[in-house]
Amino acid sequence: MTFVNTIFTSRLLSFRRPPNISPTADHVTREQLVTSRLARFAQIPVSEIFALEPTWSPLGLTEEAAAEILKQHGQNIPVAERPLAALSTLWTALWNPFNVLLTVLACVNIATQDVAMFVVMMVMVVASTGLRYWQEMKSMVQALKLVRSIVTRVRVVRRVNGISQELEVDQKLIVPGDVIAVTSGDVFPGDCVLISSEALAIAQASLTGELMPIDKTIRLVAASESDAFHLLNNDNVCLSGTSASAGNGRAIVISTGKDTYMAGIAEELNRKRPENAIQVGIRKVSYVLMAFMAVMAPIVFIVQGAVSHDWKGAIMFAIAIAVGITPEMLPMIVTSNLALSAVRIARKNVIVKRFDAIQNLGAVKVLCSDKTGTLTVDLVSVSKSVTDSGEDSGLPIRLAYINSVLQTGTRSPIDRAIVDYMHASEKGPVAGDGHQDNWQKHGEVPFDSTRRLLSILVSRLSTDGEGLFITKGAVEEVLERCTSVYRQQQRSFSASLSDFKLERTAYTTLTEDDRRAILNTSKRLNEEGLRLVAVACKCATVKQFMTINTIDEEDLVFIGFVSFLDPLKPDAADAIKELSKLNVQVRILTGDAPAVAGKVARDLGLLDTHNAILKSKKADEEAVGVISEADLIVTGPQLAELSKDQDAFAEAVERAVIFAKLSPYQKLEVVKALRAGDGGRAVAFLGDGVNDALAIRGADVGISVDSGTEIAKEAADVILLEKSLGVVALGVVQGRITLLNTVKYIKMACSSNFGNVFSVLVASAWLPYQPMLPLQLLVQNLLYDFSQGSIPWDNVDPEYLETPRTWSALSIIRFMICLGPFSSPFDITVFCINWFYYGIRTADSPLVPLAQTNWFLEGSLTQLFIIQFLRTGKTPFIQSRASLPVVLVTFGMACVSMAIPYIPKVSSALQMKPPHPEFYAYLVGIIAGYACVVHVVKVLYQMRFKEWL
């Protein structure tokens, strides 16, 4: 190891850990490795870089050396395109708690030679799995079509036959040590350190969320030991995936392929995804139902066997009861619900990659959104043109327009915004060729990242030797070159500057007080989230063949400011209001500056201190009253300090609305903290950049857009084909409809099955015969389940859509216990009619099939009719009406139930007899009585527990 390398390595060990990394985080080793590798070259002068690697040279690698390094490091492929994971998707679709339960029960049935029940259960499993698999595979194919393979050519300096040449090669062949040449529009193929720069500006919005390009330059002196190296905030590092927006330069490639910062994020994404809110809820519900089945089935077996002494028949009956307890249609109902919602959402240009994401959207309480491109249009636009004191004026923008439209260098986003603004407002004093209104250019001092200025010399054709020197650039640099400030009333200028003259009486000497006032105006506008360009000018003499240079940028007259912002999307405010009505709170997580994010949040009404707090130990009514806007904004460095105290970190996350200057890993940590808050809540994340990918994957629902980076789309559950929060609000509503209709089914099925179990226990202890044959019980369950197959198309009462919903095992158990037993008295009434009225009291009575038929009809019709009462917390038919499909299907199943005893072959197979006519009179009374009881219990239940579904 060289002496320089030894010294630098020891210094590197003394660098303090980047502020966004906590010592115990899983990602520390990976991120620190990338940071340390780049810091080794970025923290020393450019003149010493090539001393660290003897084979590297500013003249480029030799072809042989490049080939050897390529063998060692492999091709430069940072994010490999994943093949269609067909088997993995099939396994995911199959591995469902209820599918497993049905499969186990089906195996028990085939072991007892009950082929019919085995076939029915396996058909349910196959249908549910097949539908889910088909839909998810279709979505995966659509998503992969968005990831296009593009061969990118990179200009690289290589030594061929000892001569340094600039070649174009495929970016896959770029290796560490290559010297690449970049100009405006070029994408960096790896993590690089600059070795030369000419007015180079880098667009790194995909990594940091900063809309404006960042000036980059080379390092001329070594960093001090106290200087912390910030990977995303430095002067000479250009990370893979970022691009040059202006200027040109050369850079040495440090890391490629799997060793880049972007690849590190991709590797983090390959880790096992945590369970989301819906998966946790389903798992708990399935455990409860399986435990209930495991308790009740043996009890029924023992009681039935002890009474009838037919232990084989008791086993079959106990299995039938286990099937009856299990909501066997749940996988099918859930899948149908999700498929229907996926189709509805797809009509709004949304691709659902993962089925569960739809339900998760319905459970979302907090939506975290990146700022750039989601809340804003991702385009620099002129906000206003003002004087030195901040008063509106048209003069700065018009002078800036002449400067931007006549300059011959690469137009920056600022230049394009100025030109577009003036053309759109039809105020342009100069056309695209620069000669309208008699203006023409005589000289130019191009922009560079050191001066941060751009100047031109122009004149009117009608004048002889009278010119105007116009400069625009960074506020401090322009002000430093000014000796006067323009004072004349500026609001009176017309759209044309043809008559403009910079008279000596129009400006005064720039005093120190004036400088402080101008800087204060600049600070105030910056705090409003505006980016500023200062404009200055002076009179100049124009001579033929003259040239201008930086020396001429002196003794300027300060004119004013042109401010810029990334404007809100037209539908952003309405979407935020819609999400607020749905009780979904929006949080902004961005790598951009706090002032810029604050401006966006303020315009959207997100900084309302009375509505911002989620749930905080200190967020009582008095605390909320004294919270200011500043308390609702937290930055990455602040979170890094708070990470040492987990309680303080969680408190800050719960309180804040804006999270600014966050690294990708910090975004993930914020999402995790929000999910853990309030006892566990569902969180969605909407983003499109590489810096959003970890948070997208770590959220309950990850959302990206088709124009997002490949890594973000790969991590997402949902892909929007258009960037709109309005589509997200629609997805939330569809998710709640899906979840509520699923909960309707499981609550109705569980309460009905629970009541049947009580009735069966009474019958087993009292009646000497089976109250219903296992096959009859299965047919009854199938008719009921088939009727509930229409529930995905049911209407949902509007008030149920106002709050986030998720699976609650406690709610289902409570509903089942409170509602289920009330069906048993009416079942026992039928037993009494069979016993006392028809005299069916022995197992060998020829009327036993009649008794079983009577209970079959009573159970089927009450179950079908009561769907109308259980599907809503309101009065059915009057306050809330079921959808037409639900009405038609339930009515049709009721007709089928009543027809079965009268169809000879079917009734013979099921061992049924047509009921006596007078039984229908009893049946009407039983159904009416049961409906009244259920409605009363429903009212009392809602009064007690403040919920229904």
Side-chain angles (χ1 to χ4, degrees):
M1 180 181 291
T2 65
F3 176 75
V4 173
N5 203 355
T6 304
I7 295 296
F8 189 83
T9 302
S10 64
R11 283 183 53 194
L12 185 61
L13 295 176
S14 68
F15 290 162
R16 63 183 179 90
R17 181 178 286 110
N20 58 319
I21 301 177
S22 58
T24 59
D26 294 336
H27 57 259
V28 166
T29 303
R30 174 70 192 191
E31 188 176 24
Q32 278 195 309
L33 181 63
V34 174
T35 302
S36 299
R37 185 185 300 118
L38 285 169
R40 178 169 178 254
F41 297 91
Q43 295 286 75
I44 60 175
V46 64
S47 58
E48 299 179 11
I49 288 179
F50 295 98
L52 298 181
E53 294 289 341
T55 59
W56 294 5
S57 168
L59 300 178
L61 297 171
T62 63
E63 290 292 313
E64 295 77 12
E68 186 64 29
I69 297 174
L70 185 64
K71 289 180 181 179
Q72 297 175 4
H73 291 266
Q75 288 193 335
N76 180 29
I77 306 176
V79 184
E81 181 179 330
R82 295 182 183 179
L84 282 176
L87 291 178
S88 175
T89 304
L90 178 61
W91 176 253
T92 301
L94 181 63
W95 187 255
N96 179 290
F98 295 102
N99 280 348
V100 174
L101 178 58
L102 287 178
T103 303
V104 171
L105 292 175
C107 293
V108 173
N109 278 284
I110 197 64
T112 55
Q113 299 181 348
D114 192 340
V115 179
M117 292 179 71
F118 170 80
V119 171
V120 169
M121 291 182 180
M122 292 310 299
V123 166
M124 292 177 184
V125 172
V126 171
S128 172
T129 302
L131 182 58
R132 178 183 288 260
Y133 176 73
W134 172 78
Q135 181 66 29
E136 293 200 0
M137 281 299 294
K138 184 178 73 171
S139 297
M140 286 177 63
V141 170
Q142 288 177 298
L144 282 176
K145 287 180 180 178
L146 295 174
V147 183
R148 297 176 175 87
S149 297
I150 301 175
V151 177
T152 303
R153 310 292 291 182
V154 179
R155 290 184 298 123
V156 62
V157 179
R158 293 271 176 89
R159 280 179 287 165
V160 181
N161 298 325
I163 301 174
S164 179
Q165 300 181 14
E166 196 172 284
L167 309 173
E168 277 198 0
V169 301
D170 188 337
Q171 72 167 3
K172 295 179 181 178
L173 303 180
I174 296 297
V175 299
D178 264 330
V179 175
I180 60 170
V182 293
T183 188
S184 179
D186 290 341
V187 177
F188 286 89
D191 294 342
C192 306
V193 174
L194 289 178
I195 59 174
S196 71
S197 172
E198 295 182 10
L200 186 64
I202 302 300
Q204 54 184 31
S206 64
L207 281 174
T208 64
E210 293 176 295
L211 180 64
M212 301 295 293
I214 306 300
D215 295 333
K216 295 286 185 176
T217 187
I218 61 174
R219 176 175 285 279
L220 298 177
V221 295
S224 64
E225 293 187 7
S226 60
D227 288 343
F229 178 72
H230 295 279
L231 193 60
L232 301 178
N233 185 22
N234 54 74
D235 293 330
N236 62 337
V237 171
C238 303
L239 296 175
S240 174
T242 60
S243 60
S245 66
N248 60 79
R250 288 190 175 187
I252 182 75
V253 178
I254 307 300
S255 304
T256 61
K258 59 182 177 58
D259 297 325
T260 62
Y261 183 73
M262 183 184 293
I265 295 176
E267 182 178 295
E268 185 78 17
L269 294 175
N270 288 330
R271 299 190 179 190
K272 185 178 179 181
R273 189 169 189 165
E275 278 189 318
N276 57 51
I278 295 298
Q279 290 171 332
V280 172
I282 289 179
R283 175 167 50 81
K284 291 180 179 179
V285 170
S286 62
Y287 288 163
V288 168
L289 293 177
M290 285 188 284
F292 187 66
M293 179 194 69
V295 172
M296 295 304 298
I299 294 175
V300 171
F301 166 70
I302 294 172
V303 173
Q304 180 67 23
V307 173
S308 65
H309 302 290
D310 181 6
W311 293 101
K312 182 178 180 180
I315 291 176
M316 298 300 297
F317 194 65
I319 292 174
I321 290 299
V323 174
I325 293 173
T326 306
E328 62 273 9
M329 283 289 286
L330 181 60
M332 193 68 182
I333 294 292
V334 171
T335 305
S336 298
N337 262 315
L338 295 175
L340 182 61
S341 293
V343 170
R344 288 171 176 167
I345 295 177
R347 295 171 185 160
K348 300 295 183 180
N349 293 326
V350 177
I351 295 175
V352 180
K353 288 177 58 183
R354 193 164 62 93
F355 249 12
D356 290 342
I358 300 175
Q359 284 193 84
N360 283 322
L361 273 174
V364 165
K365 292 184 178 180
V366 180
L367 171 65
C368 298
S369 176
D370 183 33
K371 175 186 66 65
T372 306
T374 50
L375 298 174
T376 62
V377 297
D378 194 11
L379 181 69
V380 181
S381 299
V382 173
S383 173
K384 54 186 176 181
S385 172
V386 298
T387 66
D388 61 294
S389 59
E391 296 180 0
D392 291 339
S393 169
L395 183 57
I397 184 65
R398 290 171 187 142
L399 291 174
Y401 175 73
I402 296 176
N403 180 289
S404 295
V405 79
L406 293 180
Q407 64 103 357
T408 56
T410 302
R411 277 190 182 173
S412 69
I414 293 290
D415 292 317
R416 289 193 292 269
I418 292 172
V419 173
D420 291 344
Y421 173 81
M422 295 299 286
H423 286 172
S425 59
E426 299 182 349
K427 297 177 181 177
V430 184
D433 62 2
H435 292 284
Q436 185 177 332
D437 279 354
N438 300 323
W439 289 99
Q440 62 177 342
K441 187 179 76 170
H442 296 279
E444 176 179 349
V445 184
F447 177 88
D448 68 60
S449 56
T450 302
R451 290 169 34 254
R452 298 201 294 169
L453 301 173
L454 191 156
S455 301
I456 64 170
L457 175 62
V458 297
S459 71
R460 289 185 292 271
L461 291 175
S462 58
T463 60
D464 184 17
E466 294 182 7
L468 191 64
F469 190 93
I470 304 173
T471 299
K472 77 175 192 303
V475 175
E476 291 82 0
E477 278 70 13
V478 171
L479 188 59
E480 182 181 340
R481 289 162 173 81
C482 291
T483 57
S484 306
V485 57
Y486 195 78
R487 296 299 188 188
Q488 185 170 311
Q489 177 58 256
Q490 299 182 20
R491 298 182 183 180
S492 61
F493 283 102
S494 64
S496 173
L497 287 177
S498 58
D499 298 327
F500 173 71
K501 290 185 178 180
L502 190 62
E503 301 288 351
R504 180 63 187 85
T505 57
Y507 55 88
T508 61
T509 302
L510 183 67
T511 65
E512 287 302 317
D513 289 339
D514 292 332
R515 290 182 185 276
R516 283 193 293 270
I518 291 173
L519 291 175
N520 287 336
T521 300
S522 170
K523 181 180 179 182
R524 174 170 55 81
L525 293 173
N526 284 145
E527 289 174 349
E528 293 177 5
L530 300 174
R531 313 271 189 175
L532 298 181
V533 166
V535 180
C537 67
K538 69 178 180 179
C539 294
T541 301
V542 175
K543 297 179 181 179
Q544 191 174 11
F545 306 119
M546 72 176 295
T547 60
I548 61 174
N549 53 43
T550 57
I551 299 176
D552 296 300
E553 294 175 329
E554 300 293 342
D555 301 324
L556 300 175
V557 179
F558 191 88
I559 301 297
F561 305 98
V562 179
S563 64
F564 304 84
L565 53 70
D566 183 5
L568 294 177
K569 286 194 169 184
D571 66 339
D574 291 338
I576 293 294
K577 291 179 181 177
E578 186 64 27
L579 288 168
S580 180
K581 291 179 183 177
L582 295 170
N583 287 293
V584 176
Q585 296 196 354
V586 178
R587 296 291 183 264
I588 297 177
L589 276 64
T590 180
D592 212 339
V596 177
K599 166 69 173 173
V600 171
R602 197 174 298 109
D603 291 344
L604 290 173
L606 292 177
L607 292 180
D608 183 350
T609 56
H610 293 283
N611 297 324
I613 302 300
L614 285 171
K615 185 176 181 181
S616 170
K617 296 177 181 178
K618 301 179 182 178
D620 52 28
E621 293 182 0
E622 294 182 1
V624 172
V626 298
I627 286 179
S628 65
E629 283 190 1
D631 296 323
L632 302 179
I633 302 175
V634 65
T635 65
Q638 290 172 341
L639 286 178
E641 291 299 321
L642 291 173
S643 64
K644 303 170 185 176
D645 184 346
Q646 292 301 316
D647 291 338
F649 183 88
E651 184 72 24
V653 169
E654 292 291 307
R655 182 190 68 245
V657 173
I658 298 171
F659 299 85
K661 284 294 181 183
L662 296 184
S663 73
Y665 291 102
Q666 283 183 313
K667 288 188 176 184
L668 175 60
E669 293 304 318
V670 169
V671 168
K672 287 180 178 179
L674 287 171
R675 290 186 65 188
D678 196 18
R681 63 166 76 92
V683 176
F685 189 94
L686 172 61
D688 59 355
V690 174
N691 60 329
D692 300 319
L694 293 179
I696 287 173
R697 191 175 184 277
D700 291 279
V701 187
I703 309 170
S704 188
V705 294
D706 67 329
S707 58
T709 59
E710 293 179 13
I711 197 169
K713 289 184 291 190
E714 175 70 18
D717 304 312
V718 176
I719 298 178
L720 309 181
L721 300 184
E722 56 184 49
K723 294 182 179 181
S724 172
L725 280 179
V727 178
V728 177
L730 175 66
V732 170
V733 172
Q734 287 297 327
R736 291 179 186 177
I737 291 174
T738 299
L739 187 60
L740 283 164
N741 280 335
T742 305
V743 170
K744 282 181 190 178
Y745 165 76
I746 194 169
K747 284 191 171 182
M748 288 190 288
C750 289
S751 62
S752 175
N753 295 346
F754 186 63
N756 288 341
V757 169
F758 271 103
S759 301
V760 167
L761 286 175
V762 173
S764 299
W766 174 20
L767 302 178
Y769 54 85
Q770 288 186 351
M772 197 183 302
L773 296 177
L775 188 57
Q776 294 171 346
L777 185 61
L778 180 61
V779 171
Q780 185 188 68
N781 285 336
L782 288 177
L783 289 172
Y784 183 52
D785 289 337
F786 192 82
S787 70
Q788 291 184 311
S790 62
I791 285 179
W793 286 266
D794 192 20
N795 300 324
V796 174
D797 296 334
E799 55 269 26
Y800 291 132
L801 301 177
E802 294 176 356
T803 56
R805 301 281 176 170
T806 188
W807 287 70
S808 171
L810 175 62
S811 179
I812 292 173
I813 294 170
R814 186 165 56 207
F815 190 95
M816 180 174 65
I817 293 174
C818 293
L819 272 295
F822 285 97
S823 65
S824 295
F826 298 95
D827 292 334
I828 295 171
T829 300
V830 176
F831 299 158
C832 291
I833 292 172
N834 290 333
W835 185 276
F836 295 106
Y837 185 79
Y838 294 112
I840 307 172
R841 303 183 181 183
T842 60
D844 55 358
S845 171
L847 295 179
V848 167
L850 177 64
Q852 293 169 340
T853 301
N854 288 344
W855 192 36
F856 174 87
L857 285 176
E858 182 269 339
S860 299
L861 294 179
T862 52
Q863 282 182 327
L864 292 169
F865 183 72
I866 218 64
I867 287 176
Q868 303 294 329
F869 285 80
L870 298 183
R871 57 164 293 277
T872 176
K874 299 178 179 179
T875 304
F877 310 111
I878 299 175
Q879 295 177 318
S880 178
R881 295 182 179 87
S883 64
L884 184 61
V886 172
V887 173
L888 292 178
V889 171
T890 52
F891 179 75
M893 290 301 99
C895 293
V896 170
S897 300
M898 297 179 67
I900 285 177
Y902 298 96
I903 303 174
K905 290 187 177 180
V906 177
S907 62
S908 176
L910 296 177
Q911 301 181 39
M912 289 185 177
K913 286 186 177 181
H916 295 170
E918 68 274 9
F919 179 73
Y920 288 105
Y922 289 116
L923 195 56
V924 170
I926 289 172
I927 293 174
Y930 184 36
C932 292
V933 169
V934 167
H935 188 69
V936 171
V937 173
K938 179 168 66 175
V939 172
L940 296 175
Y941 181 92
Q942 292 181 95
M943 291 174 61
R944 173 64 179 84
F945 298 111
K946 309 300 181 185
E947 69 164 18
W948 182 245
L949 295 178

